[in-house]
Amino acid sequence: DAKTTQPTSMDCAEGRAANLPCNHSTISGNEYVYWYRQIHSQGPQYIIHGLKNNETNEMASLIITEDRKSSTLILPHATLRDTAVYYCIVRVAGRGSTLGRLYFGRGTQLTVWP
Amino acid sequence: SQTIHQWPATLVQPVGSPLSLECTVEGTSNPNLYWYRQAAGRGLQLLFYSVGIGQISSEVPQNLSASRPQDRQFILSSKKLLLSDSGFYLCAWRRYLGAGMNTEAFFGQGTRLTVV
């Protein structure tokens, strides 16, 4: 079962920053926060992940609160092609039968307007 | 580089017919493999998970089964499809680097199954 809570939908003007929140109040110390996005009728695409430090890559930045109970994905300059459903996921590192699974919630539908 | 292939892209099958969806991964070895289903307007539901050949973990009781006959091949099957099996099926893989190591998952482009 998904362990995260996200808003159902958000809008953003093209060229502006899109800030997507995620609550994961029951996160454990060894659980990472992952973000994926899914453009309509395609497979999800990995964006970024982190444990407790803020992370940045060529796609986005991930800000994790000090208590790790929430995080924000930031797309610094949203484009029309960033319109997608964004999923926030928490998962435990590992491989065994009870670890390493990826559980997706319903995500946030981000719509970028021209 | 690693790639994941999933086919077919779309499929229309009558109720009661069998199903076989295939997923293969290239450019890596001993990956973790996943099957997900996405019903219309819903999130992704994890169906099956595999850490190695012949090792399948089922997440939810259902009309489907999975098999991993080779290291980089993952097959989703059904003997008799139900209307409720309609959906968007996604295969994914993740590299295993060792205990405690985190890697991202890579998804195929999906199969849209319509059971009529």
Side-chain angles (χ1 to χ4, degrees):
Chain A
D1 294 329
K3 298 175 62 176
T4 62
T5 304
Q6 298 175 256
T8 303
S9 63
M10 294 184 66
D11 293 342
C12 178
E14 188 177 21
R16 306 297 293 269
N19 298 297
L20 295 116
C22 179
N23 287 324
H24 29 81
S25 58
T26 61
I27 194 169
S28 301
N30 60 349
E31 288 185 315
Y32 285 70
V33 179
Y34 277 75
W35 283 83
Y36 287 78
R37 73 180 183 184
Q38 186 178 22
I39 296 171
H40 183 62
S41 295
Q42 297 183 22
Q45 175 190 25
Y46 165 80
I47 301 174
I48 199 167
H49 76 280
L51 183 61
K52 51 185 176 182
N53 297 322
N54 297 338
E55 301 288 344
T56 296
N57 63 20
E58 65 278 4
M59 290 182 69
S61 295
L62 174 60
I63 308 298
I64 303 174
T65 58
E66 193 169 343
D67 63 8
R68 302 210 325 120
K69 292 185 177 182
S70 65
S71 62
T72 301
L73 178 75
I74 301 173
L75 307 179
H77 305 287
T79 70
L80 298 179
R81 286 189 287 185
D82 292 322
T83 292
V85 177
Y86 287 77
Y87 296 98
C88 170
I89 302 157
V90 296
R91 60 167 294 272
V92 179
R95 178 183 178 87
S97 61
T98 59
L99 301 173
R101 296 166 176 171
L102 298 174
Y103 292 109
F104 288 74
R106 293 198 179 190
T108 296
Q109 171 65 58
L110 174 68
T111 302
V112 181
W113 300 96
Chain B
S1 62
Q2 300 84 19
T3 56
I4 179 169
H5 302 280
Q6 188 181 341
W7 67 92
T10 59
L11 191 60
V12 179
Q13 291 283 101
V15 169
S17 64
L19 173 73
S20 181
L21 301 181
E22 188 163 344
C23 172
T24 59
V25 180
E26 295 178 357
T28 189
S29 60
N30 201 25
N32 287 3
L33 295 172
Y34 307 81
W35 276 111
Y36 286 86
R37 176 171 60 200
Q38 187 173 34
R42 305 292 298 274
L44 276 70
Q45 179 187 33
L46 179 62
L47 300 177
F48 298 98
Y49 166 81
S50 173
V51 299
I53 296 174
Q55 300 179 61
I56 309 295
S57 296
S58 176
E59 283 294 298
V60 294
Q62 59 200 307
N63 185 42
L64 302 168
S65 61
S67 61
R68 186 169 175 174
Q70 301 180 46
D71 181 44
R72 289 166 290 176
Q73 183 185 30
F74 206 22
I75 298 172
L76 183 70
S77 305
S78 173
K79 293 182 179 179
K80 289 186 178 181
L81 283 169
L82 305 173
L83 288 174
S84 58
D85 291 324
S86 293
F88 189 47
Y89 288 82
L90 288 153
C91 178
W93 76 275
R94 191 170 64 86
R95 185 182 296 113
Y96 176 64
L97 298 177
M101 299 293 289
N102 262 275
T103 59
E104 65 270 31
F106 299 92
F107 285 80
Q109 288 303 298
T111 295
R112 189 160 301 282
L113 171 67
T114 304
V115 183
V116 296

